[in-house]
Amino acid sequence: MTVNRREILKGALGSSVAIAGLNWSSLQAVATQATQNTLTWIWDIAYQNMNPAASNSAEIYLLGSVYETLLEYKDGKVLPKLATAWERADGGKTWTVKLREGVKFHDGSPLNSAAVKKSFEYTRDLGKGASYLYAGLEHVETPDEHAVIFRFKDVIAFDLVAGAQYGGFVIGPAGIGKGDEWLNQGNAIGTGPYKLAEFQQGKLAVLDKFEDYWGGWESGKFDRVLHPYVAEVSTRIQMIRSGEANICPRIPASQIKSLSALPKMSIENIPSWRSQFYCINTQKYPTDNLKFRQALLHLWDHESVLKDIFHGIAKKSVGPVVSSLWGHGTYDVGTYDPQKALLLLEESGIPKKDWKIKALYYAGNQEQIDSIELFRANAEAVGLEVELDLEQVTTAYHSKVRSPETTGHLNAMITWPGYPSPQEPLGVWKTEQNPVWNFSYYHDEEYDRLLGEGFKLEGVDRDAAEKVYIAAQDRLMQNAVGIFYADVNRVAAYSSDIKGMDQANNPAYEWFSLYSLSR
């Protein structure tokens, strides 16, 4: 994720609350301009790149209600969305899609085959975000108004890719015509249930319902959504407690019990595809030594972390891929055993004077912070010195972790798949000349080959693809590339009068569906 905390919320609640330049009374005025049925959804992430063809980060939380994909993945099945039917041919190289009729973009223009062609070619040619998914797209044909034929160079699981939360959104032709910068600034033309009515980077987003949405509108659904950036966790908790906010995701695990006891408060705590771990730098001394890396796995106290830090909102990881996603392997990710860790450190041959490592991480995730502090205490008990390097701003963290000179031996990571496949979480360890997400600095040609093979196989033989992906995971585990410690649930505190939270959550997507909510 990419988080900018340069703009922060300061002050007490009430009319004196200043949200990055907006006081709370003026925010309430924005809420009542259209309707009384307004949802206030507070968040601690200041979005950066709002172009859905370029973004592959936290902007998805907002964009998921503005744009839509051709298909949708839910409960292990591919379902229709903007497309009503799809057919594979040529061994998985050609896909014919039938579009839903009567769909409009937010500017009133129709969803048709020409618009879909333009959107997918734009995403491919822009070369950003998840464009690599469409790198093999050679031709897009439009035989009629509502039929699109996608022709790829190689076999592809386009039914999965077309439901991707990164790179899969259909963008209105007029928006594409205005260019990358226009979209990046928070302008949007999609087909989703909500229009992006206002966007102030690092301050506020406002969503208004799209009257002509093809799904229709039932009584009680929200007409307007206020989405202010509220950096301080204590302020977010106060706001949700007082009722001045209706939904507060990403609440600290330690707050769940007290919030759930409030009479007008509910807690959503359901599984997701989110994985939390530390990449172990395989190229930086002394963690370039395999036994040294293996020793670190036995200094992580999984039981205490899950019980005393996550408080029931996570379960122990089974490996690099969450257990609820197809194609995952099942591994012993490490058992807390200081004596075994000490033995491995000694067997590594690294002089004891060099038993020093740096853990690089960022603010905003209290469980991550508490976990690494416990790890440091465990490590120091066996003579391993751990320097904790906390970055307050995630953009600064990314700048530091991506540089070989400033990166850590342990680098914090939270991932979720961009589309329903192990390809995405495993892509973290693909060889990168200039690391973007490979914070383990891992280089393995055979691993890269296995990922490429899995990508091709998942389009024609899911069982064969699964075996290849597990073989790739085997290599990661054998090489101790990370400390995998938590498959984290999606947690949100929300006002009890809000209905539909169970329907709003789909583990395959990071956002929750605002359209599913009502009062």
PDB file of all heavy atoms in Angstrom, residues 95-107:
ATOM      1  N   TRP A  95     -10.524 -15.079 -26.405  1.00  0.00           N
ATOM      2  CA  TRP A  95     -11.671 -15.001 -25.506  1.00  0.00           C
ATOM      3  C   TRP A  95     -12.718 -14.061 -26.103  1.00  0.00           C
ATOM      4  O   TRP A  95     -12.411 -12.918 -26.440  1.00  0.00           O
ATOM      5  CB  TRP A  95     -11.243 -14.488 -24.133  1.00  0.00           C
ATOM      6  CG  TRP A  95     -10.357 -15.451 -23.390  1.00  0.00           C
ATOM      7  CD1 TRP A  95      -9.026 -15.657 -23.591  1.00  0.00           C
ATOM      8  CD2 TRP A  95     -10.750 -16.331 -22.340  1.00  0.00           C
ATOM      9  NE1 TRP A  95      -8.555 -16.622 -22.734  1.00  0.00           N
ATOM     10  CE2 TRP A  95      -9.596 -17.047 -21.940  1.00  0.00           C
ATOM     11  CE3 TRP A  95     -11.961 -16.578 -21.676  1.00  0.00           C
ATOM     12  CZ2 TRP A  95      -9.613 -17.993 -20.919  1.00  0.00           C
ATOM     13  CZ3 TRP A  95     -11.985 -17.513 -20.665  1.00  0.00           C
ATOM     14  CH2 TRP A  95     -10.820 -18.222 -20.292  1.00  0.00           C
ATOM     15  N   THR A  96     -13.942 -14.562 -26.224  1.00  0.00           N
ATOM     16  CA  THR A  96     -15.048 -13.757 -26.719  1.00  0.00           C
ATOM     17  C   THR A  96     -15.965 -13.412 -25.558  1.00  0.00           C
ATOM     18  O   THR A  96     -16.379 -14.281 -24.798  1.00  0.00           O
ATOM     19  CB  THR A  96     -15.845 -14.520 -27.802  1.00  0.00           C
ATOM     20  OG1 THR A  96     -14.971 -14.847 -28.889  1.00  0.00           O
ATOM     21  CG2 THR A  96     -16.998 -13.658 -28.322  1.00  0.00           C
ATOM     22  N   VAL A  97     -16.251 -12.129 -25.436  1.00  0.00           N
ATOM     23  CA  VAL A  97     -17.031 -11.628 -24.302  1.00  0.00           C
ATOM     24  C   VAL A  97     -18.283 -10.932 -24.816  1.00  0.00           C
ATOM     25  O   VAL A  97     -18.217 -10.125 -25.751  1.00  0.00           O
ATOM     26  CB  VAL A  97     -16.186 -10.631 -23.472  1.00  0.00           C
ATOM     27  CG1 VAL A  97     -17.037  -9.958 -22.406  1.00  0.00           C
ATOM     28  CG2 VAL A  97     -15.006 -11.351 -22.829  1.00  0.00           C
ATOM     29  N   LYS A  98     -19.410 -11.244 -24.222  1.00  0.00           N
ATOM     30  CA  LYS A  98     -20.679 -10.587 -24.536  1.00  0.00           C
ATOM     31  C   LYS A  98     -20.961  -9.553 -23.461  1.00  0.00           C
ATOM     32  O   LYS A  98     -21.022  -9.865 -22.270  1.00  0.00           O
ATOM     33  CB  LYS A  98     -21.810 -11.626 -24.570  1.00  0.00           C
ATOM     34  CG  LYS A  98     -23.203 -11.036 -24.797  1.00  0.00           C
ATOM     35  CD  LYS A  98     -23.358 -10.463 -26.192  1.00  0.00           C
ATOM     36  CE  LYS A  98     -24.798 -10.007 -26.422  1.00  0.00           C
ATOM     37  NZ  LYS A  98     -24.945  -9.370 -27.750  1.00  0.00           N
ATOM     38  N   LEU A  99     -21.127  -8.299 -23.879  1.00  0.00           N
ATOM     39  CA  LEU A  99     -21.311  -7.212 -22.928  1.00  0.00           C
ATOM     40  C   LEU A  99     -22.763  -7.070 -22.489  1.00  0.00           C
ATOM     41  O   LEU A  99     -23.696  -7.344 -23.254  1.00  0.00           O
ATOM     42  CB  LEU A  99     -20.842  -5.888 -23.542  1.00  0.00           C
ATOM     43  CG  LEU A  99     -19.369  -5.800 -23.941  1.00  0.00           C
ATOM     44  CD1 LEU A  99     -19.088  -4.443 -24.579  1.00  0.00           C
ATOM     45  CD2 LEU A  99     -18.469  -6.026 -22.741  1.00  0.00           C
ATOM     46  N   ARG A 100     -22.926  -6.607 -21.267  1.00  0.00           N
ATOM     47  CA  ARG A 100     -24.254  -6.296 -20.749  1.00  0.00           C
ATOM     48  C   ARG A 100     -24.807  -5.082 -21.503  1.00  0.00           C
ATOM     49  O   ARG A 100     -24.117  -4.083 -21.705  1.00  0.00           O
ATOM     50  CB  ARG A 100     -24.153  -5.989 -19.250  1.00  0.00           C
ATOM     51  CG  ARG A 100     -25.490  -5.803 -18.549  1.00  0.00           C
ATOM     52  CD  ARG A 100     -25.272  -5.494 -17.064  1.00  0.00           C
ATOM     53  NE  ARG A 100     -24.560  -6.572 -16.394  1.00  0.00           N
ATOM     54  CZ  ARG A 100     -25.143  -7.663 -15.903  1.00  0.00           C
ATOM     55  NH1 ARG A 100     -26.457  -7.822 -16.030  1.00  0.00           N
ATOM     56  NH2 ARG A 100     -24.424  -8.596 -15.309  1.00  0.00           N
ATOM     57  N   GLU A 101     -26.045  -5.146 -21.895  1.00  0.00           N
ATOM     58  CA  GLU A 101     -26.656  -4.041 -22.623  1.00  0.00           C
ATOM     59  C   GLU A 101     -27.305  -3.047 -21.663  1.00  0.00           C
ATOM     60  O   GLU A 101     -27.704  -3.400 -20.558  1.00  0.00           O
ATOM     61  CB  GLU A 101     -27.693  -4.575 -23.627  1.00  0.00           C
ATOM     62  CG  GLU A 101     -27.085  -5.487 -24.688  1.00  0.00           C
ATOM     63  CD  GLU A 101     -28.080  -5.907 -25.750  1.00  0.00           C
ATOM     64  OE1 GLU A 101     -29.105  -5.214 -25.908  1.00  0.00           O
ATOM     65  OE2 GLU A 101     -27.834  -6.936 -26.426  1.00  0.00           O
ATOM     66  N   GLY A 102     -27.388  -1.809 -22.093  1.00  0.00           N
ATOM     67  CA  GLY A 102     -28.046  -0.776 -21.294  1.00  0.00           C
ATOM     68  C   GLY A 102     -27.172  -0.139 -20.235  1.00  0.00           C
ATOM     69  O   GLY A 102     -27.666   0.621 -19.402  1.00  0.00           O
ATOM     70  N   VAL A 103     -25.875  -0.427 -20.245  1.00  0.00           N
ATOM     71  CA  VAL A 103     -24.967   0.144 -19.256  1.00  0.00           C
ATOM     72  C   VAL A 103     -24.443   1.495 -19.757  1.00  0.00           C
ATOM     73  O   VAL A 103     -24.089   1.641 -20.925  1.00  0.00           O
ATOM     74  CB  VAL A 103     -23.783  -0.807 -18.979  1.00  0.00           C
ATOM     75  CG1 VAL A 103     -22.802  -0.175 -18.001  1.00  0.00           C
ATOM     76  CG2 VAL A 103     -24.303  -2.134 -18.451  1.00  0.00           C
ATOM     77  N   LYS A 104     -24.394   2.468 -18.848  1.00  0.00           N
ATOM     78  CA  LYS A 104     -23.877   3.793 -19.183  1.00  0.00           C
ATOM     79  C   LYS A 104     -22.661   4.132 -18.329  1.00  0.00           C
ATOM     80  O   LYS A 104     -22.560   3.715 -17.177  1.00  0.00           O
ATOM     81  CB  LYS A 104     -24.945   4.863 -18.961  1.00  0.00           C
ATOM     82  CG  LYS A 104     -26.152   4.763 -19.877  1.00  0.00           C
ATOM     83  CD  LYS A 104     -27.130   5.892 -19.567  1.00  0.00           C
ATOM     84  CE  LYS A 104     -28.367   5.815 -20.452  1.00  0.00           C
ATOM     85  NZ  LYS A 104     -29.318   6.913 -20.142  1.00  0.00           N
ATOM     86  N   PHE A 105     -21.772   4.921 -18.916  1.00  0.00           N
ATOM     87  CA  PHE A 105     -20.697   5.526 -18.140  1.00  0.00           C
ATOM     88  C   PHE A 105     -21.250   6.743 -17.412  1.00  0.00           C
ATOM     89  O   PHE A 105     -22.356   7.221 -17.709  1.00  0.00           O
ATOM     90  CB  PHE A 105     -19.542   5.940 -19.055  1.00  0.00           C
ATOM     91  CG  PHE A 105     -18.730   4.784 -19.578  1.00  0.00           C
ATOM     92  CD1 PHE A 105     -18.937   4.297 -20.865  1.00  0.00           C
ATOM     93  CD2 PHE A 105     -17.758   4.184 -18.787  1.00  0.00           C
ATOM     94  CE1 PHE A 105     -18.188   3.237 -21.356  1.00  0.00           C
ATOM     95  CE2 PHE A 105     -17.005   3.121 -19.264  1.00  0.00           C
ATOM     96  CZ  PHE A 105     -17.230   2.635 -20.548  1.00  0.00           C
ATOM     97  N   HIS A 106     -20.506   7.268 -16.481  1.00  0.00           N
ATOM     98  CA  HIS A 106     -20.953   8.393 -15.672  1.00  0.00           C
ATOM     99  C   HIS A 106     -21.211   9.656 -16.485  1.00  0.00           C
ATOM    100  O   HIS A 106     -21.941  10.553 -16.046  1.00  0.00           O
ATOM    101  CB  HIS A 106     -19.932   8.692 -14.574  1.00  0.00           C
ATOM    102  CG  HIS A 106     -19.799   7.581 -13.589  1.00  0.00           C
ATOM    103  ND1 HIS A 106     -18.682   7.413 -12.792  1.00  0.00           N
ATOM    104  CD2 HIS A 106     -20.640   6.559 -13.258  1.00  0.00           C
ATOM    105  CE1 HIS A 106     -18.841   6.341 -12.023  1.00  0.00           C
ATOM    106  NE2 HIS A 106     -20.016   5.807 -12.290  1.00  0.00           N
ATOM    107  N   ASP A 107     -20.607   9.766 -17.671  1.00  0.00           N
ATOM    108  CA  ASP A 107     -20.850  10.930 -18.529  1.00  0.00           C
ATOM    109  C   ASP A 107     -22.024  10.714 -19.477  1.00  0.00           C
ATOM    110  O   ASP A 107     -22.296  11.558 -20.339  1.00  0.00           O
ATOM    111  CB  ASP A 107     -19.591  11.291 -19.312  1.00  0.00           C
ATOM    112  CG  ASP A 107     -19.142  10.193 -20.272  1.00  0.00           C
ATOM    113  OD1 ASP A 107     -19.723   9.072 -20.219  1.00  0.00           O
ATOM    114  OD2 ASP A 107     -18.206  10.433 -21.058  1.00  0.00           O
TER     115      ASP A 107
END
